[in-house]
Amino acid sequence: MILTVTLNTALDVTYRVPSLRTGASHRVSEVLERPGGKGVNVARVLAALGHEVTVTGFSGGLTGRVLRDRLTDVPRLTDALVPISGTTRRTVTLADELTGATTHLNEPGPDITHAEWSAFQEVYDDLLASASAVALCGSLPPGVPVGAYAGLVRTARAARVPVLLDTSGTALRRGVAGRPDIIKPNAGELAELTGFHEPLRATQDARRRGARAVVASLGAEGLLAVTPEGHWSATPPARLAGNPTGAGDSAVAGLLAALVEHRPWPDRLTRATALSAATVLSPTAGDFDRGTYEEFLTTVTVTGVATAA
């Protein structure tokens, strides 16, 4: 079982409009709702790839009930969310059908009490006993300690469960000190963490800060990985036009799936890049077409150098 942690789950609501204009009224052509938060997105992709996956984190209020109801529709996914007194947030996406541009409105999330945080930690400890890997994903809701991810990383490492951290800002800076097996920042998050904008230098610096391996998501340029086994870059077959929402979460799912399948790093990056690209081209943000994914598996280019044994 692969475990994904989403401390700040969300109900993702997408409004599609023919053309988005600031200050104007709009007729909405379509409304979509689905469970969200980075770790939930990762779990949905892993389940689609055929892996058994468990989702944990927090859920509460009417929004939380809707989110959990929607999770029951996902095969191979187990809901282990911890109930809270607050209400799960919503994230609202405004999709402009004319230009393809998307505008995102992200609520901050509910306040988590000390008792709720303690209850989650007990659930997390229990779930690690049967986990083959764990992903810690997304922002921290109010009330959760700023160093929470560092503690969760250490708990996973003590249980000998490989752990991937995908967050940003202070949560990433504090979390990397826990020495996660993999971090997966995007270019902006990597620059904020290290102060460097040149990708290879920034990725190497992030490793020195505590991560065993760093996989940087560089948008249309693909992925760059610096690991104990070597460093590689993976690029999609062409520059892709589409909706990048959820592409990074799909890359995380690809890395985790290949990790538990014991695949070498070049294969991990091939799968992560192909999944990310297939997500960009999907008509629904955060989903991927299996046929497109399998086609991209044969066209992703991986270059790099393995470390001498």
Side-chain angles (χ1 to χ4, degrees), residues 2-302:
I2 299 175
L3 177 64
T4 72
V5 174
T6 312
L7 298 177
N8 212 3
T9 56
L11 182 66
D12 290 342
V13 183
T14 299
Y15 295 105
R16 296 188 182 278
V17 297
S19 177
L20 184 63
R21 302 181 307 282
T22 302
S25 296
H26 298 79
R27 291 190 180 276
V28 176
S29 56
E30 185 180 20
V31 180
L32 301 172
E33 286 187 347
R34 66 175 191 172
K38 292 181 70 65
V40 173
N41 296 338
V42 171
R44 188 168 46 243
V45 175
L46 284 167
L49 292 172
H51 289 273
E52 297 294 327
V53 59
T54 296
V55 171
T56 192
F58 296 111
S59 174
L62 177 59
T63 313
R65 287 197 295 274
V66 174
L67 183 151
R68 300 185 83 163
D69 286 345
R70 298 292 175 86
L71 287 178
T72 62
D73 298 332
V74 183
R76 292 179 292 276
L77 188 149
T78 299
D79 171 3
L81 293 169
V82 176
I84 56 173
S85 59
T87 299
T88 297
R89 66 185 177 132
R90 295 169 300 169
T91 62
V92 178
T93 298
L94 307 176
D96 187 325
E97 295 175 337
L98 179 63
T99 66
T102 56
T103 301
H104 305 282
L105 306 174
N106 297 326
E107 296 178 0
D111 285 299
I112 305 301
T113 68
H114 177 74
E116 289 164 348
W117 175 238
S118 296
F120 165 78
Q121 290 176 288
E122 291 181 7
V123 170
Y124 178 71
D125 288 349
D126 290 343
L127 290 171
L128 284 175
S130 55
S132 55
V134 58
L136 307 173
C137 302
S139 60
L140 300 177
V144 172
V146 68
Y149 279 138
L152 296 179
V153 167
R154 294 187 183 106
T155 301
R157 288 180 58 83
R160 300 185 181 277
V161 178
V163 56
L164 183 152
L165 176 63
D166 183 15
T167 187
S168 60
T170 303
L172 175 59
R173 187 171 67 251
R174 295 286 295 272
V176 76
R179 305 188 67 82
D181 293 275
I182 306 171
I183 62 171
K184 197 221 65 68
N186 62 31
E189 294 161 351
L190 189 61
E192 183 181 6
L193 173 66
T194 66
F196 299 120
H197 292 272
E198 197 284 313
L200 181 58
R201 184 178 182 185
T203 305
Q204 292 169 333
D205 182 80
R207 264 205 80 207
R208 286 192 288 269
R209 292 169 184 264
R212 178 173 172 80
V214 181
V215 180
S217 180
L218 305 179
E221 303 302 318
L223 299 176
L224 172 65
V226 176
T227 82
E229 289 78 29
H231 61 85
W232 294 271
S233 61
T235 55
R239 186 173 290 272
L240 305 172
N243 186 351
T245 304
D249 300 333
S250 290
V252 169
L255 291 171
L256 284 174
L259 169 66
V260 300
E261 294 169 7
H262 306 291
R263 297 181 181 274
W265 270 106
D267 201 4
R268 297 185 199 182
L269 296 174
T270 296
R271 289 170 177 267
T273 303
L275 267 176
S276 182
T279 300
V280 170
L281 293 183
S282 173
T284 303
D287 290 333
F288 73 97
D289 177 76
R290 181 171 293 275
T292 303
Y293 164 59
E294 292 176 351
E295 176 186 345
F296 283 160
L297 282 175
T298 65
T299 55
V300 169
T301 300
V302 177

